[in-house]
Structures are given as structure tokens and as C-alpha cells.
Amino acid sequence: MLRQVTPGRYDAYEALLRALAIPSSGQVWMLLWHGQAGSPDAQYGTMEVDGHGYAPCVTSAQELSASGWNRSYEVVDGIDVARTLYPERHGLWLNPHAPGGGVGIPWLDLRRIATGLDRQPAGPLRLAEPTIEIPAFYALLTQNAHRTPAVRSLRRAWVQPALGAPYLAIGLDVYEASPAAVDSVRAMMQQSIGAVPDGLPVSTVAMSDEYDPVAMWLRAHARPFYDREAHAAPAQSPAAGYGYPPVPPAPGRY
């Protein structure tokens, strides 16, 4: 599988991720910079590529021998390594000693391995403001959000995965994540989804998820199309500079 992964071969790369996600058979030999396998002071090696951190590993005992690594190592399931590394925003680099330098797996894809490959879109993602016109859906969703006290704001993005169909993502910013709040937000989406045209996939993403690439893009680039607090703010006097003339001072005041 490693030999099949080349630039643009997202299908081969996805197959590699699926192989790593299989318990027992998706094992890797993690190179330890400090300590012994299983010891409290065990520490994975690190390497940096294009400003991003990775932990190096090899994919078999034969590759370990070929690498010339003379320190300790630890044999671990790929899914367990993914759960360890992605919260630290570290990726995994397979066989860095191999011709061509091996294959790097960014931490965003380790998160997919750790949480379920089918639950997250295949990257790299192309994200943009939606251009499709569905005013009835947005109007109904905004109306239902205003009736759902748990919702603070809503954002939107058009997501094109590396594999699979593009879809509309709705970013949900909520005040709390209690079971009752989650149920109310789920009901809000169910009540609104009927206004979506047939064949248009719609997904939701929690704005509080600091590891989700869609949520990260929404926080950085998308303004809310519904904002409870802005909606509830009292009307302010018009300010100069937005088409209004300056407000003259009251008599006797400056």
C-alpha cells in the first residue's frame, strides 16, 4: 500500500488509512527517542516537515532492521497511536528511511482514524462560502434556531472532500452540550431539513470542536448567518461613516 501512495492517489492513501485503523493487523513500530517500551519515561521520536510535527515509525520488523534504528521501539496498533498523537497535533510518518522518504499522515487524518474514518470527510478539503441558492432552507433553519434556546449562532460552508460528493456544512455554536440541549438542536435540524432540495447532502459540525477542519475554517472565515445575540441586541443610533452624516453636537456641548 505504501508503494501505491503517490501524489493525487487519494484512493490508495485512503486504503492505507483503513489498513492502519484495523486493530492488531494495523500495527506500527514506533521509534522511541527515550526510555523503553512500556516504561513511564518512554518518548516517541519527533521530526518536522514543512513546519508540522510527526512521530516517525516503521511498518515491520524488516523495515526496522533496514532503518538502522539502534534505540528502543514499541509495537502499537495504528488506531492507538492515532489517539495518542492527534490531540497534540502531531502526525505519523511511515518509513522515513525508505527511498523517497516514506509517507506522512497529518494529524487531521490521525483524528479520522481515531474517531472513525467514515465519520469525517476525506482530506484535503476544499472549503468555500456556499453559492447554491436555498433561501427557504436558510429561512426555516433561522426561524427554528431562534426557537431553540441552546443555539447561539449558525455558520455555513461548502465542503469538497478529496473523495466523495460535496456537501453543505452547517456549523452549530451552542451555549451548552447537555443531553437536553443536544436533543433540541437535533430536533431543530430535523424540522428544517425538509426544506433542502432533493439530492443535496447536508451535514452539521460543532463549532466547539477544536480539531475539526471544517469548524476551524468556519471560525476563521465565515460570519454567522444567524446570531442570537446580535439579533437580540438593542438598536443603536446610526453612526457616521456608513452613509449617515455626522451627528451634530447638542447646543452648548462639544
Side-chain angles (χ1 to χ4, degrees), residues 183-195:
D183 288 343
S184 70
V185 173
R186 184 179 295 113
M188 174 197 74
M189 291 302 302
Q190 290 173 345
Q191 292 161 8
S192 308
I193 207 71

Side-chain angles (χ1 to χ4, degrees), residues 34-52:
H34 292 295
Q36 304 292 320
S39 66
D41 64 339
Q43 181 180 333
Y44 293 152
T46 60
M47 55 188 289
E48 187 174 300
V49 179
D50 294 334
H52 300 282

Side-chain angles (χ1 to χ4, degrees), residues 28-38 42 44 58 60-61 64 69-76:
V28 290
W29 279 245
M30 298 300 300
L31 309 182
L32 296 179
W33 188 251
H34 292 295
Q36 304 292 320
Y44 293 152
V58 297
S60 68
L64 180 66
W69 185 255
N70 57 11
R71 301 193 184 195
S72 294
Y73 62 90
E74 185 176 46
V75 183
V76 192

